[in-house]
Amino acid sequence: MQAFCYIPIINHSEWVDFLIDTGASETCLNGIYALDLQQEMRKETLEDSLGVGGGCRYYHERAVLIFQDDQNEPFEHQVLPMGIQQIIPEHLKIPDFLDCPSLLGRDVIEHCVFHYEPDNGIVELIFP
């Protein structure tokens, strides 16, 4: 799912492709999206995180996600805070590490209806 992501504290915005992850507690930027933001991140927001693939660290910043509805009209959803993966030099030695997807987590998807029909190629998030 694609969303326009705006991080006010660093005045950064870009379109992000998110993988919908019902196992992720929070929405986070990973891979190349996170790499681009490393120099702007505040160390005091860094926290440890555990997942299926092991542990890593995430910065946390307030972010606004802007989605488009089926008529291509924008609507806004606040995410407080959004995780931004810390990229360390060892990560860059791992093949395809920067291809790791950004995740749309339960902090967003629990506020909507998740409609998935793989046989018909339908994936929808329906916000009330």
Side-chain angles (χ1 to χ4, degrees):
M1 167 149 289
Q2 192 175 68
F4 189 75
C5 178
Y6 176 60
I7 304 171
I9 197 162
I10 60 172
N11 195 30
H12 176 83
S13 60
E14 68 181 308
W15 284 98
V16 176
D17 293 317
F18 287 97
L19 176 76
I20 297 171
D21 187 346
T22 60
S25 58
E26 72 177 2
T27 297
C28 57
L29 297 178
N30 294 317
I32 194 69
Y33 296 110
L35 179 65
D36 292 343
L37 300 174
Q38 296 300 294
Q39 297 301 316
E40 305 291 331
M41 295 294 92
R42 299 178 299 144
K43 295 195 185 332
E44 63 269 18
T45 70
L46 197 56
E47 297 177 11
D48 293 331
S49 179
L50 291 175
V52 173
C56 61
R57 302 187 85 195
Y58 283 85
Y59 300 99
H60 291 84
E61 296 293 353
R62 179 178 172 273
V64 177
L65 294 182
I66 301 172
F67 298 95
Q68 289 182 321
D69 64 17
D70 57 356
Q71 304 297 314
N72 291 325
E73 293 294 322
F75 64 93
E76 191 173 301
H77 180 79
Q78 300 280 336
V79 177
L80 301 173
M82 175 182 280
I84 301 159
Q85 185 180 32
Q86 179 189 41
I87 308 292
I88 58 175
E90 290 78 20
H91 290 150
L92 301 175
K93 296 175 186 174
I94 300 169
D96 302 321
F97 179 84
L98 294 179
D99 294 333
C100 184
S102 293
L103 304 176
L104 195 65
R106 291 191 317 268
D107 57 344
V108 172
I109 58 179
E110 285 181 349
H111 299 283
C112 63
V113 175
F114 177 47
H115 180 204
Y116 177 55
E117 292 181 34
D119 293 339
N120 297 323
I122 296 173
V123 178
E124 296 176 320
L125 292 179
I126 304 166
F127 289 85

